[in-house]
Amino acid sequence: MATEGGNASAGEYIAHHLQNLQACWVDGSIKWNAHDYDVCAGNFWALNVDSMFFSVFLGLVFIAIFWGVARRATSGVPSRTQAAVETIVEFVDTSVKETFHGKNDLIAPLALTLFVWVFFMNLMDLIPVDWIPGLWGAATGHAPLKVVPTTDVNITFAMAISVFILIVWYSIKAKGIGGFTRELTLQPFNHWAAIPFNFILEGVALLAKPVSLSLRLFGNLYAGELIFILIALLGVWQLPLHFAWAVFHVLIIVLQAFIFMMLTIVYLSLAHEEH
């Protein structure tokens, strides 16, 4: 980006760092927004390539680390990596046992996957904002690149919708179609005349679950990334501020991964209740 060389305005610098690398289908061919940010604007078929790449890459990193530790696990003195992984697994397992009141072998692995995966994606926010995009821009002629997948609302909504599908599935499995329908139409007022009101109220509450999951994670990480970008505008004076905000932001990174995991467990626990 030209700003990194001192030639662009602060607005252009911020816009560059907040722009995803996109590919879209235009006039029968694939177009990239490498040099024209607006080529994919408003295109339904636009794909945020950078978000997809880093989310999949970090998911593979998560699998590789945990699979490697599982293969080399020992009952003797554990390595630091094994000790860290065991601590995370025990923490998640305890959280599931204390919160989830049904019987389902999927919940603990799902909670572990969400917690570690979201944590890894959030952790990318601690990499100085110009490092990876700067290298990428030098190699491609200043093409945009965002490295924090959870600052992309499409990624957070995709994860939340996946959880929402599980909520509906297990609600129907535990209560049956009739029970799930009664839950939406006869609560909180158990009277036929209140069915429309109940349906609106319960429908909004049901749809609010994926919305709250996705927007909470996206909003916190997007705001954190924006603050890092604003700090980077200070030049050499950014160093103490960058360090201070990074220390504070570590708490946000861990907390948001934990909240996403815990809300998922709570929602699925409610879905398994038969009454």
Side-chain angles (χ1 to χ4, degrees):
M1 184 62 185
T3 302
E4 293 154 15
N7 297 322
S9 67
E12 291 172 327
Y13 177 78
I14 294 171
H16 176 76
H17 278 286
L18 295 181
Q19 177 64 50
N20 285 98
L21 176 65
Q22 294 180 318
C24 55
W25 189 258
V26 178
D27 298 329
S29 63
I30 297 176
K31 302 290 185 181
W32 294 80
N33 70 335
H35 305 293
D36 181 5
Y37 293 173
D38 296 329
V39 69
C40 294
N43 192 318
F44 180 79
W45 299 109
L47 177 67
N48 291 346
V49 179
D50 44 11
S51 296
M52 291 294 295
F53 171 79
F54 284 106
S55 60
V56 172
F57 172 73
L58 293 170
L60 293 176
V61 169
F62 158 60
I63 293 172
I65 292 175
F66 277 66
W67 180 69
V69 168
R71 284 190 60 195
R72 297 188 297 270
T74 175
S75 58
V77 179
S79 64
R80 292 181 180 179
T81 305
Q82 180 180 334
V85 168
E86 288 178 351
T87 300
I88 294 172
V89 171
E90 290 174 5
F91 167 72
V92 173
D93 187 57
T94 300
S95 299
V96 172
K97 288 178 179 178
E98 292 177 349
T99 309
F100 185 75
H101 305 300
K103 292 183 178 180
N104 191 326
D105 294 336
L106 174 68
I107 305 303
L110 175 65
L112 178 65
T113 300
L114 287 176
F115 177 73
V116 179
W117 195 20
V118 171
F119 172 75
F120 278 0
M121 289 191 283
N122 293 351
L123 195 63
M124 296 293 287
D125 212 7
L126 295 184
I127 300 175
V129 295
D130 286 326
W131 283 13
I132 298 178
L135 293 173
W136 171 256
T140 60
H142 303 305
L145 186 75
K146 289 181 67 177
V147 302
V148 188
T150 42
T151 60
D152 185 349
V153 72
N154 298 285
I155 296 295
T156 59
F157 256 108
M159 292 190 295
I161 290 172
S162 300
V163 173
F164 177 72
I165 292 171
L166 290 175
I167 293 171
V168 174
W169 167 258
Y170 284 115
S171 293
I172 294 174
K173 186 177 181 180
K175 307 173 183 68
I177 293 291
F180 182 59
T181 303
R182 287 193 296 272
E183 188 177 71
L184 292 177
T185 56
L186 297 177
Q187 292 187 86
F189 305 109
N190 190 9
H191 193 279
W192 64 269
I195 286 178
F197 176 78
N198 289 339
F199 182 73
I200 294 174
L201 191 65
E202 292 297 318
V204 169
L206 182 64
L207 294 176
K209 292 175 180 178
V211 173
S212 65
L213 272 178
S214 59
L215 291 185
R216 179 183 290 105
L217 178 60
F218 162 74
N220 279 277
L221 270 296
Y222 186 88
E225 177 73 359
L226 184 58
I227 291 175
F228 275 124
I229 294 172
L230 293 175
I231 291 174
L233 290 170
L234 299 176
V236 70
W237 302 105
Q238 69 176 284
L239 297 177
L241 284 176
H242 188 281
F243 176 76
W245 177 244
V247 171
F248 176 76
H249 201 55
V250 169
L251 301 176
I252 298 175
I253 287 170
V254 178
L255 183 62
Q256 289 306 314
F258 173 73
I259 290 174
F260 196 97
M261 177 194 73
M262 287 302 299
L263 286 179
T264 298
I265 298 172
V266 170
Y267 292 157
L268 289 174
S269 180
L270 293 172
H272 280 75
E273 293 181 358
E274 296 182 4
H275 62 278

